[in-house]
Amino acid sequence: ETKRMVFPRFYFVSDDDLLEILGQSKDPIAVQKHVKKCFEGIKNLKMHAPSAGVRTFEASLMNSPDGETAPFVDNVVIDGPVELWLVQVEKAMRRGISKLLNLSIQGFKGNKKEKWVKDTIGQLLI
């Protein structure tokens, strides 16, 4: 219950899935398959594996089931308890979508509507 209070989206995940997420919290790639159960319209996150000088995974963007991508403003460090980094991912999603919305509004001004619709991700058009 305390994990669900920290990350309320866990209330919408089955107990079996939650146990699997928590059991694999040290392996972000294994948790990746459950992201779509926590966030509607998100298929997965683009993860960057640890490399020289970086000891943790980082997420840089989100992918939709339709193939659209939306980058985060800043990469999210995937480290520590899974519920805490998922909270950070959720905040990064909001900041990223907010930035894309501002860019989309600017792109709408002075452009043809058809071009704007084609250039803008679906989440912003709804």
Side-chain angles (χ1 to χ4, degrees), residues 7 9-10 12-13 33-45 62-66 68 70 86 89-90 93-94 97 121-124 126:
F7 187 65
R9 289 176 183 263
F10 280 160
F12 303 105
V13 176
K33 70 180 179 180
H34 298 286
V35 168
K36 62 185 168 201
K37 297 171 188 170
C38 295
F39 301 103
E40 183 71 28
I42 303 300
K43 180 180 176 185
N44 59 26
L45 304 172
M62 54 189 149
N63 295 305
S64 78
D66 300 330
E68 294 180 327
L86 282 172
V89 166
E90 184 177 20
M93 288 176 172
R94 288 186 179 144
I97 292 296
I121 63 171
Q123 286 186 348
L124 299 177
I126 296 174

Side-chain angles (χ1 to χ4, degrees), residues 31-116:
V31 174
Q32 181 81 274
K33 70 180 179 180
H34 298 286
V35 168
K36 62 185 168 201
K37 297 171 188 170
C38 295
F39 301 103
E40 183 71 28
I42 303 300
K43 180 180 176 185
N44 59 26
L45 304 172
K46 179 167 184 175
M47 299 262 200
H48 302 281
S51 59
V54 179
R55 296 183 0 206
T56 59
F57 279 87
E58 289 188 358
S60 61
L61 59 83
M62 54 189 149
N63 295 305
S64 78
D66 300 330
E68 294 180 327
T69 62
F72 299 148
V73 175
D74 299 309
N75 286 359
V76 178
V77 175
I78 308 299
D79 191 29
V82 66
E83 67 276 10
L84 295 180
W85 63 258
L86 282 172
V87 167
Q88 294 306 311
V89 166
E90 184 177 20
K91 289 178 182 177
M93 288 176 172
R94 288 186 179 144
R95 285 191 309 268
I97 292 296
S98 177
K99 181 178 179 180
L100 288 174
L101 181 58
N102 286 331
L103 292 173
S104 173
I105 291 169
Q106 292 171 5
F108 180 72
K109 298 175 184 174
N111 284 330
K112 293 185 178 182
K113 188 174 185 179
E114 293 81 19
K115 180 180 178 351
W116 176 74

Side-chain angles (χ1 to χ4, degrees), residues 1-2 4-14 18:
E1 270 318 293
T2 58
R4 285 183 166 143
M5 289 185 346
V6 172
F7 187 65
R9 289 176 183 263
F10 280 160
Y11 283 108
F12 303 105
V13 176
S14 72
L18 181 57

